[in-house]
Structures are given as C-alpha cells and as structure tokens.
Amino acid sequence: NRFERAADRYALSGRGWCYVDMSEYGPAEQSFLSALQKAPRFEEALIGLAETYRFQGKRPEALKYYQQYLDHHPDGEDAPTAKNAIEQLKE
C-alpha cells in the first residue's frame, strides 16, 4: 500500500545517509538509487545521491542530482545546499 511504499523509500534513504556518515559511498549510492526507483522525485534521496557523488569527486553526477533536486523542489529544505554546491562544483 501507499504507506508501505513511503516507509520503504524513507528506510532506504535513511540507510543511505548512514552509509554516507561512514564514508561507505558504494552502498550509499545503491540505497539512494533504490529509494529513487520507488519515488523518482524523493527529495531525501536526490540530495543524498548528489552529496554521495560530491564526496566521491564525481562532479557531473553530483551536478545532475543537485539540479534534479532543484527542478523538483525549488523551495525545498535543502535548496540552499544544492544551489551552493552547484556554484562550488562549477568553479
């Protein structure tokens, strides 16, 4: 049902953030991508994946997901983070 799907994406995203905190970027990437398969515009997963790529030095991928975050959530909680990261990555 709808609530189980929402719980799944939050659980996957939360797991992704735990991996980011441990600098385990491969599993973090997979967790965020799995969350996005369930909800392609899920803001926690978009910003998490962008951050995961930025921490790995994958600039094009990071830019892509920061921009997707802003495209879908221009006034989202992490919009300032995404805008600042885009500016820094384009320098």
Side-chain angles (χ1 to χ4, degrees), residues 20-76:
V20 168
D21 288 344
M22 296 185 301
S23 300
E24 296 285 339
Y25 301 119
E29 177 183 4
Q30 290 307 311
S31 294
F32 292 127
L33 287 172
S34 294
L36 288 173
Q37 285 179 333
K38 296 182 179 296
R41 295 180 178 188
F42 183 46
E43 52 193 299
E44 285 292 318
L46 288 171
I47 199 73
L49 193 54
E51 292 281 276
T52 297
Y53 287 138
R54 182 171 65 96
F55 294 147
Q56 294 179 86
K58 296 181 177 180
R59 292 173 68 160
E61 294 90 343
L63 285 166
K64 173 184 173 182
Y65 284 97
Y66 283 125
Q67 191 59 57
Q68 278 189 28
Y69 178 91
L70 290 174
D71 290 346
H72 298 301
H73 310 284
D75 299 318

